[in-house]
């Protein structure tokens, strides 16, 4: 036990000369007493006042309040959950919960997989207020059958569990939309009749959002995206909800494994059948889709246009080659003709020049002959040979034009020996100056 220790502390002494009458000054005081009325508040007092006012007992007041609460809740939710309850559903055994329509139990048949968790909770609250055994007792109902209430609890428990709800949605046939009949298609139109079917199928897709089926004016890209999506559909349907119940722990382990294996095989089979069903349905729609036919016609028209353009281009190129070939042949032909004409012209010119040259040479040789080879009498052979040698030498050093010019001078000179010799002498001098002859090459005309 702890010991008690006493500490003696002395209070400080008052200043000398201090007195209460003279030195004490109050800084506040108590207000005067007043009388006020206090009213009781709170739910318990209100309930007490309500019972006193209406002269009710506790049980009577509770029953009436329960009725009012149910009525108020029904009025609030009338627009959202106004489904009438099936009498057969109210008689369902709770142990058969796996075969019940959980959405219908909560009054959510028209929402089903679209129902949000908040809607499920509100629907549950409404059903509980109506079917809870305590509420029934409070409302004076003597029926103690709580089977449907248990169904409500089971439906709420399952639908608020995302995994178990997905398992149920996987096999919820009430949410399926059957393919339209020919009558429905004729009445609504092909695209409006089929669109709800693919909306219902799209709820099973792991990939969201799901492309819309569209309408007759949808673009080719939109239509191709839709069919590519459903031909490669990634479904989350597992069909686990339909599994056979696995035996309790008391059963043999082999039987459990056999049941699990059987369930797995059944799920795979159902999965395969569902994929085949969807593929067959998409094939049927694709075969009847006028948009696909239109796109194929446009594609064929485009291909035909491209093919025709290609053929026209090849034809144009071929014609261009043939035209170029013809032009080349014509050019070659013309070039050959021009060359031939040029050759003929040159030949004639050469012949004319040759004839003129021969004529001019005859003139040169005839000019010295006409002047008797510059001799006064009969020229000797040596004199004739000397003159003709100089003439041949000069003719060999001059061109055709110079030959023609010299012949013209000699023609003018005629038979004037002096003039002829002077013409030859001048030409020989010019050739020497031009370096074509050397001094001493010519003898007679030096």
């Amino acid at each position: 036990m702890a010991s008690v220790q006493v500490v003696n502390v002395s209070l400080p002494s008052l200043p000398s000369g201090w007195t209460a009458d003279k030195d004490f000054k109050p800084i506040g005081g108590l207000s005067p007493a007043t009388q006020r009325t206090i009213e009781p508040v709170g739910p318990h007092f209100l309930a007490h006042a309500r019972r006193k006012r209406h002269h009710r007992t506790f049980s009577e007041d509770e029953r009436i309040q329960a009725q009012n609460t149910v009525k108020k809740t029904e009025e609030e939710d009338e627009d959202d959950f106004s489904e009438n309850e099936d009498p057969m559903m109210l008689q369902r055994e709770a142990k058969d919960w796996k075969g019940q329509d959980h959405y219908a139990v909560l009054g959510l048949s028209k929402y089903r997989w679209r129902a949000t968790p908040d809607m499920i909770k509100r629907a549950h609250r409404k059903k509980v207020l109506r079917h809870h055994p305590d509420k029934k007792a409070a409302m004076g109902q003597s029926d103690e059958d709580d089977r449907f209430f248990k169904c409500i609890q089971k439906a709420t428990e399952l639908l608020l569990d995302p995994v178990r709800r997905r398992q149920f949605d996987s096999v919820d046939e009430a949410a399926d939309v059957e393919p339209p009949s020919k009558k429905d298609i004729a009445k609504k139109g092909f695209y409006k009749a089929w669109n709800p079917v693919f909306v219902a199928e799209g709820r099973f897709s792991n990939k969201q959002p799901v492309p819309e089926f569209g309408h007759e004016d949808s673009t080719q890209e939109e239509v191709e995206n839709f069919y590519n999506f459903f031909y490669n559909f990634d479904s989350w349907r597992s069909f686990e909800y339909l599994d056979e119940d696995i035996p309790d722990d008391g059963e043999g382990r082999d039987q459990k494994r056999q049941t699990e294996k059987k369930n797995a095989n059944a799920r795979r089979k159902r999965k395969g059948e569902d994929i085949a069903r969807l593929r067959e349905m998409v094939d049927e729609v694709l075969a009847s889709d006028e948009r696909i036919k239109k796109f194929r016609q446009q594609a064929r028209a485009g291909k035909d246009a491209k093919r025709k353009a290609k053929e026209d281009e090849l034809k144009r190129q071929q014609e261009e080659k043939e035209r170029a070939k013809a032009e080349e042949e014509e050019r070659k032909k013309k070039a050959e003709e021009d060359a031939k004409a040029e050759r003929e012209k040159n030949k004639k010119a050469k012949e004319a020049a040759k004839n003129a040259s021969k004529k001019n040479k005859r003139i040169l040789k005839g000019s010295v002959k006409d002047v008797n080879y510059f001799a006064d009498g009969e020229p000797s052979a040596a004199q004739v040979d000397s003159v003709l040698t100089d003439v041949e030498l000069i003719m060999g050093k001059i061109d055709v034009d110079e030959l023609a010019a010299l012949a013209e001078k000699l023609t003018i000179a005629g038979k004037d020996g002096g003039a002829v010799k002077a013409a030859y002498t001048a030409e020989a001098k010019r050739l020497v100056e031009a370096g074509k002859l050397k001094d001493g090459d010519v003898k007679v005309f030096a």
Side-chain angles (χ1 to χ4, degrees):
M1 179 180 294
S3 59
V4 178
Q5 184 177 2
V6 178
V7 178
N8 297 319
V9 178
S10 300
L11 294 175
S13 58
L14 295 172
S16 60
W18 186 89
T19 62
D21 296 336
K22 184 180 64 174
D23 299 318
F24 176 74
K25 295 179 181 180
I27 59 175
L30 297 176
S31 61
T34 59
Q35 184 176 0
R36 295 181 180 179
T37 302
I38 299 177
E39 298 181 358
V41 295
H44 298 289
F45 175 78
L46 294 176
H48 169 74
R50 186 173 58 248
R51 290 193 298 270
K52 289 295 184 180
R53 178 182 179 185
H54 298 289
H55 305 289
R56 299 173 185 168
T57 64
F58 277 94
S59 59
E60 287 177 341
D61 186 69
E62 185 178 355
R63 176 174 56 80
I64 293 174
Q65 286 302 110
Q67 290 175 347
N68 293 336
T69 302
V70 171
K71 184 178 180 181
K72 181 180 179 181
T73 303
E74 289 178 350
E75 291 175 353
E76 290 176 352
D77 296 339
E78 187 67 24
D79 294 338
D80 294 335
F81 316 120
S82 59
E83 297 179 6
N84 295 324
E85 295 174 340
D86 187 355
M88 296 297 295
M89 182 174 61
L90 296 176
Q91 301 300 321
R92 175 176 289 279
E93 292 290 341
K95 62 181 180 180
D96 296 331
W97 63 270
K98 205 165 188 179
Q100 76 180 21
D101 185 345
H102 301 293
Y103 290 110
V105 168
L106 295 179
L108 296 171
S109 297
K110 66 180 180 180
Y111 296 100
R112 311 202 76 81
W113 56 277
R114 297 185 183 88
T116 63
D118 180 65
M119 294 170 65
I120 295 172
K121 292 176 183 178
R122 289 167 56 199
H124 170 256
R125 178 172 174 267
K126 176 182 176 181
K127 293 293 182 180
V128 167
L129 288 174
R130 179 180 296 177
H131 296 284
H132 195 286
D134 294 342
K135 294 296 181 181
K136 289 183 178 181
M139 295 172 66
Q141 298 180 11
S142 59
D143 186 8
E144 297 181 357
D145 185 2
D146 63 349
R147 290 177 298 178
F148 187 63
F149 176 74
K150 292 180 180 179
C151 292
I152 294 172
Q153 296 298 94
K154 194 66 181 180
T156 306
E157 176 187 350
L158 185 143
L159 294 180
L160 287 179
D161 185 334
V163 176
R164 297 178 66 192
R165 180 182 180 184
R166 173 165 281 200
Q167 292 174 359
F168 175 71
D169 288 341
S170 179
V171 297
D172 184 11
E173 295 180 356
D176 294 337
V177 178
E178 294 296 325
S181 62
K182 293 182 179 179
K183 184 178 180 180
D184 292 336
I185 294 176
K187 181 179 179 181
K188 300 178 181 179
F190 182 80
Y191 304 103
K192 288 186 178 180
W194 274 105
N195 188 65
V197 178
F198 288 105
V199 171
E201 293 293 339
R203 73 186 189 273
F204 299 122
S205 175
N206 281 318
K207 299 177 181 178
Q208 296 291 337
V210 178
E212 295 182 357
F213 185 47
H215 45 79
E216 60 272 10
D217 296 326
S218 296
T219 64
Q220 183 172 357
E221 182 181 2
E222 292 172 343
V223 175
E224 290 177 351
N225 288 339
F226 170 82
Y227 282 107
N228 289 336
F229 183 89
F230 276 95
Y231 272 122
N232 299 280
F233 196 73
D234 182 13
S235 175
W236 51 257
R237 297 188 77 174
S238 60
F239 301 96
E240 293 172 311
Y241 194 82
L242 301 178
D243 284 355
E244 181 181 336
D245 292 338
I246 298 176
D248 297 334
D249 294 339
E251 301 292 340
R253 201 180 329 174
D254 293 339
Q255 187 176 357
K256 289 183 178 180
R257 291 177 179 174
Q258 184 178 1
T259 304
E260 290 175 353
K261 184 177 180 181
K262 182 179 178 181
N263 287 337
N265 292 335
R267 288 197 297 269
R268 281 195 295 270
K269 181 180 179 181
R270 293 189 181 100
K271 185 83 170 180
E273 291 174 348
D274 184 65
I275 293 174
R277 175 195 61 81
L278 180 60
R279 175 61 65 90
E280 183 178 352
M281 184 176 69
V282 176
D283 288 341
E284 177 186 351
V285 175
L286 179 65
S288 304
D289 197 336
E290 293 295 332
R291 299 173 301 185
I292 300 300
K293 298 177 182 178
K294 180 181 68 174
F295 296 148
R296 288 174 178 172
Q297 290 175 355
Q298 292 175 351
R300 283 195 296 270
K303 289 181 180 179
D304 292 342
K306 289 182 180 179
R307 183 172 63 253
K308 186 176 183 305
K310 186 176 181 180
E311 291 175 353
D312 292 344
E313 179 63 18
L314 291 175
K315 183 178 179 181
R316 186 192 66 77
Q317 292 178 0
Q318 185 65 26
E319 291 176 350
E320 187 70 21
K321 287 182 180 179
E322 291 177 357
R323 183 168 58 253
K325 183 179 180 181
E327 291 177 354
E328 181 65 17
E329 291 177 353
E330 183 68 21
R331 186 188 64 76
K332 288 182 179 180
K333 182 179 179 181
K334 187 175 184 304
E336 291 177 358
E337 291 176 353
D338 292 344
K340 183 178 180 181
E342 186 68 20
R343 287 195 299 270
E344 292 293 333
K345 180 180 179 181
N346 292 336
K347 182 178 180 181
K348 290 180 181 179
K350 286 181 180 180
E351 289 178 355
K354 184 177 180 181
N355 293 333
S357 179
K358 288 180 179 180
K359 180 180 178 182
N360 290 330
K361 286 181 180 181
R362 286 196 299 270
I363 291 173
L364 262 66
K365 290 180 180 180
S367 65
V368 294
K369 182 180 179 182
D370 290 341
V371 295
N372 198 27
Y373 301 104
F374 308 109
D376 294 335
E378 184 69 21
S380 63
Q383 190 176 4
V384 172
D385 183 64
S386 178
V387 172
L388 291 177
T389 298
D390 284 354
V391 171
E392 290 288 345
L393 183 60
I394 291 172
M395 286 191 300
K397 298 297 182 178
I398 60 178
D399 56 23
V400 176
D401 294 334
E402 292 171 343
L403 179 63
L406 180 58
E408 184 178 359
K409 292 177 180 179
L410 294 173
T411 301
I412 295 172
K415 294 182 179 182
D416 184 354
V420 171
K421 189 172 184 179
Y424 275 113
T425 302
E427 186 65 19
K429 182 179 179 182
R430 187 185 68 78
L431 293 174
V432 171
E433 291 175 352
K436 294 181 178 180
L437 288 177
K438 297 180 180 179
D439 289 336
D441 287 344
V442 291
K443 306 299 183 183
V444 178
F445 305 118

